[in-house]
Amino acid sequence: MTVPDDAWVFDTGPLRHFAIQGWLGVLRFLAGERPVYIPDSVARELDDAAEHMSAARAVLDAGWIHVHRSTSRDFSEAFAHYVDRLVGGGKNLGECGVLAMGQIYKCKVVIDDATPRQIAKEKGIQVTATVPLLCEAIRAKKLTTVMVEELADNLLEGQYYLPFRPGGFRQHVLENGLLDYDEL
Amino acid sequence: MRPVLCASATMCENRTVAGIDAQTLGERIRDARKRADLSQEDLGRAVGLERTVVNKIEGGVRKVTALELSDIAAAIGVRMSTFFEEPVPALVAHRSSQGLDTTDSQIDALLAKLANEIEFVASLDVDELGLDAADAVPQAGITQPLTNAEAEALAVKARDLMALSAEEPICQLSDSVASIGLLAFSHDVSKDTADAGTILLRRGGVSLVNSHMKVGRRRLALAHELGHYLIADAYTVDWRVADHSDHAVPMESRLDRFARALLLPNAAVTRQWNEKVARSGERSAAILLASEFRVDMATLATRLKELGLADSETVTSVRKYRTTQADIVEMNLYVPLEELKGTTVPRPFARAVLRLVRDERISRERALDLLQGTFDEADLPHIRERRPDEIWDFVS
């Protein structure tokens, strides 16, 4: 069995944040019929994170999130290339698996960090991020703007780069036409 | 041992790999493990696999997942990509001549790692790396120096290639050699190993200088490595630069001569030695010359001897002179930052890595790794401001 090209493949960061907020159900709703995958490298990062953040465990326990691992040479070679681009001090292995899946199976990857997103673009991999998923959740009336604003501000306090400043989510999505007034 | 996967998550089926690929991959893992002087048991313990499983992986019988392979590479101390790429020809030739069971010395392992890192950065087409400059070397018509006169002539030619005048002191030798495509790194590999080594890359070369030595010896070792690079020696590890006997290893002895001639050009040393001795005596002359040309006293002494500028008594004295703090103050000596001290990376390489960080083509963590610990996170450039149109990258 291979990974279908309509699958979503998640990096550790976006999943961890959805899990911490208790919004995994929202993600499942947004995915709809699309299968959701994580590579084993992301599963490992979540497993490590679960030691001090029990919410991450919810991702691993979610039966609808499939863990993918591959012994294919092409996959390993792609993975190795992304290790060369991203891994230092043992960090960022998760993203390597995500990008390798995007490259090999032509599916959409969900990554928030700027560098792997840039690399995905360079490689022609379909890439999206937390912000558009949150907008979609608001549009689908699964989350309120107030809830998302709070998460967006939390993300900005950490290592996340988002294209607006704290408190700026609402203005950003309006100015860029991501949401209309009546959707907020 | 690391948990491989969460048992409760749904696992999809593995894709298979052609037998020949698994076999080749297994062989590469085995070769790398042996070079790192690890047993199958050692490797298995490091990655949480039974020895018998490691044996099967190396035999191409048991397929290995990408994540397992990355663990194996980390445990062996190589980049995962080395299992999929042909090493530079110089490394291939060296390893085949050494045999599969040979364990790499520390300097061999470091050199191979640095060669891989440079080839990786070069593969991303970063202009800052400057390996184009290496093209001037094969065009210079350089041949191996068979006599001392030819070694002296090669030093003159090397200065010309590096755009240095015939007589000027070489302030930063590592910068000068980089200008013709030789990237020089330093690392304290301990005193019980080689002084330096050099590998020719597909374009350019890489040298590693053992910074356990003092600055004068480090510069002499790098000058010697430059000699190997210029005469296109594919793979060299030098254990005791400047101690080579003319009889036993004539080419190494010629390159020692080349190194001294490069750092202490004949005409400049002859003129300045005579002037300074006449003005201030031999000791002051030696201290001033060693300081100006940044060489150690042993190198200066040998150079004075081979140029016929000093008798054996003077040569012995020069060898024993030590520059004191009083000399530095009273002779107003310029004390530059020590070149190749501790761990250093060549400037063009660092510049190329910083370019890749700025352009978000490699992660910051990887950049710190490539920079060999010479940078902290705070030293890296800040993430650039996005242009307004790039905001659209964040929407699907």
Side-chain angles (χ1 to χ4, degrees):
Chain A
M1 191 181 88
T2 187
V3 177
D5 60 8
D6 66 341
W8 279 355
V9 180
F10 276 82
D11 187 23
T12 310
L15 271 183
R16 193 173 50 206
H17 287 287
F18 273 95
I20 288 170
Q21 300 294 333
W23 294 348
L24 279 181
V26 174
L27 207 55
R28 187 179 188 182
F29 170 84
L30 292 173
E33 295 297 308
R34 281 177 292 244
V36 173
Y37 280 84
I38 55 173
D40 51 1
S41 53
V42 165
R44 178 189 284 180
E45 288 184 349
L46 287 165
D47 197 54
D48 289 346
E51 285 176 16
H52 50 87
M53 191 176 56
S54 56
R57 175 67 55 197
V59 179
L60 298 168
D61 291 340
W64 53 278
I65 298 176
H66 307 273
V67 178
H68 178 72
R69 61 175 183 169
S70 173
T71 56
S72 128
R73 185 199 154 105
D74 287 347
F75 185 89
S76 290
E77 199 168 351
F79 190 103
H81 173 75
Y82 296 120
V83 169
D84 269 348
R85 302 284 289 266
L86 295 167
V87 173
K91 292 181 182 167
N92 304 333
L93 265 178
E95 293 158 348
C96 300
V98 175
L99 290 170
M101 288 184 73
Q103 177 182 322
I104 300 293
Y105 307 119
K106 314 292 179 206
C107 42
K108 184 178 270 188
V109 301
V110 186
I111 301 177
D112 282 337
D113 291 345
T115 301
R117 289 175 55 80
Q118 187 69 19
I119 293 171
K121 281 173 63 184
E122 174 194 317
K123 299 283 180 181
I125 297 169
Q126 300 179 70
V127 59
T128 188
T130 298
V131 174
L133 290 180
L134 293 174
C135 290
E136 231 176 298
I138 294 172
R139 202 175 291 129
K141 308 288 183 202
K142 288 289 163 184
L143 294 176
T144 66
T145 307
V146 174
M147 293 163 79
V148 171
E149 275 177 320
E150 192 182 330
L151 174 67
D153 288 350
N154 287 345
L155 295 179
L156 286 166
E157 281 172 15
Q159 292 298 309
Y160 271 65
Y161 175 82
L162 294 176
F164 47 83
R165 296 187 186 285
F169 175 81
R170 188 182 297 252
Q171 187 184 350
H172 171 77
V173 296
L174 283 172
E175 283 178 1
N176 291 284
L178 304 181
L179 291 172
D180 293 329
Y181 273 107
D182 56 6
E183 291 173 317
L184 292 174
Chain B
M1 175 174 164
R2 299 190 63 93
V4 175
L5 287 169
C6 173
S8 57
T10 309
M11 189 89 65
C12 77
E13 222 171 80
N14 294 346
R15 295 181 75 209
T16 54
V17 60
I20 183 75
D21 286 341
Q23 184 110 16
T24 307
L25 187 59
E27 285 166 7
R28 289 183 177 184
I29 293 170
R30 184 193 299 121
D31 294 349
R33 174 182 60 74
K34 285 185 173 177
R35 281 196 301 274
D37 200 20
L38 290 173
S39 67
Q40 288 183 334
E41 197 161 6
D42 294 333
L43 177 57
R45 200 178 304 119
V47 298
L49 294 171
E50 294 290 329
R51 188 199 67 77
T52 51
V53 175
V54 174
N55 190 45
K56 284 177 181 169
I57 290 171
E58 292 184 353
V61 179
R62 176 0 180 120
K63 295 180 190 83
V64 61
T65 68
L67 187 57
E68 285 173 335
L69 194 56
S70 92
D71 289 343
I72 288 170
I76 293 175
V78 298
R79 301 294 301 180
M80 183 180 171
S81 55
T82 60
F83 295 136
F84 298 99
E85 293 163 1
E86 279 299 314
V88 292
L91 262 178
V92 177
H94 172 72
R95 286 173 177 170
S96 64
S97 71
Q98 292 289 299
L100 287 178
D101 292 331
T102 308
T103 301
D104 277 350
S105 74
Q106 267 183 293
I107 211 150
D108 282 288
L110 266 171
L111 259 175
K113 179 172 172 265
L114 293 170
N116 284 330
E117 301 289 48
I118 295 170
E119 293 268 306
F120 162 66
V121 172
S123 75
L124 297 175
D125 289 329
V126 201
D127 290 342
E128 282 82 350
L129 195 56
L131 291 182
D132 299 7
D135 296 350
V137 177
Q139 290 164 12
I142 292 168
T143 53
Q144 294 194 343
L146 301 177
T147 63
N148 283 335
E150 288 179 9
E152 295 276 341
L154 181 57
V156 171
K157 186 173 265 188
R159 280 181 164 260
D160 189 42
L161 278 170
M162 296 188 291
L164 295 164
S165 71
E167 298 195 5
E168 70 182 289
I170 304 178
C171 298
Q172 285 286 324
L173 182 59
S174 48
D175 287 350
S176 294
V177 300
S179 73
I180 51 171
L182 178 61
L183 298 180
F185 294 72
S186 70
H187 188 75
D188 187 347
V189 199
S190 87
K191 68 174 182 178
D192 296 324
T193 188
D195 286 354
T198 297
I199 297 179
L200 277 193
L201 304 174
R202 290 178 179 90
R203 200 175 204 187
V206 54
S207 288
L208 174 65
V209 174
N210 183 355
S211 55
H212 192 82
M213 302 177 291
K214 290 187 174 171
V215 61
R217 298 288 293 181
R218 299 196 295 266
R219 281 166 53 85
L220 187 70
L222 179 55
H224 184 101
E225 296 310 306
L226 174 64
H228 281 297
Y229 173 69
L230 290 174
I231 63 172
D233 279 340
Y235 191 106
T236 322
V237 168
D238 288 293
W239 283 78
R240 289 290 171 265
V241 168
D243 286 349
H244 298 110
S245 122
D246 195 16
H247 177 67
V249 274
M251 184 49 64
E252 293 302 323
S253 173
R254 292 292 93 74
L255 293 181
D256 286 344
R257 176 71 180 247
F258 159 81
R260 289 190 294 271
L262 181 80
L263 295 172
L264 292 161
N266 185 346
V269 170
T270 301
R271 193 185 65 255
Q272 290 197 39
W273 174 255
N274 290 331
E275 283 172 8
K276 289 182 191 336
V277 169
R279 197 181 324 130
S280 341
E282 284 177 350
R283 183 176 182 278
S284 293
I287 286 167
L288 287 166
L289 267 184
S291 169
E292 185 172 353
F293 288 92
R294 301 179 195 183
V295 295
D296 63 340
M297 287 298 177
T299 302
L300 178 62
T302 307
R303 188 67 176 147
L304 293 174
K305 184 182 172 188
E306 68 197 10
L307 292 178
L309 295 172
D311 58 24
S312 56
E313 192 182 335
T314 303
V315 168
T316 305
S317 300
V318 170
R319 211 174 281 277
K320 289 178 184 165
Y321 291 148
R322 293 292 171 266
T323 305
T324 63
Q325 194 65 25
D327 293 328
I328 291 169
V329 173
E330 288 171 351
M331 296 187 200
N332 201 23
L333 301 180
Y334 172 60
V335 184
L337 287 174
E338 280 201 3
E339 189 175 10
L340 300 165
K341 187 178 185 182
T343 300
T344 61
V345 299
R347 188 62 66 87
F349 181 81
R351 210 178 280 132
V353 171
L354 295 179
R355 164 57 53 202
L356 290 170
V357 173
R358 281 190 191 283
D359 292 348
E360 294 173 341
R361 299 184 66 202
I362 61 170
S363 70
R364 299 170 76 79
E365 291 83 2
R366 179 65 171 124
L368 294 175
D369 202 39
L370 283 165
L371 293 166
Q372 316 290 318
T374 58
F375 275 58
D376 291 329
E377 158 68 26
D379 295 324
L380 292 178
H382 293 296
I383 296 169
R384 69 192 166 87
E385 287 289 319
R386 295 306 197 276
R387 299 188 308 270
D389 61 296
E390 287 178 298
I391 282 173
W392 294 102
D393 292 347
F394 285 85
V395 299
S396 53

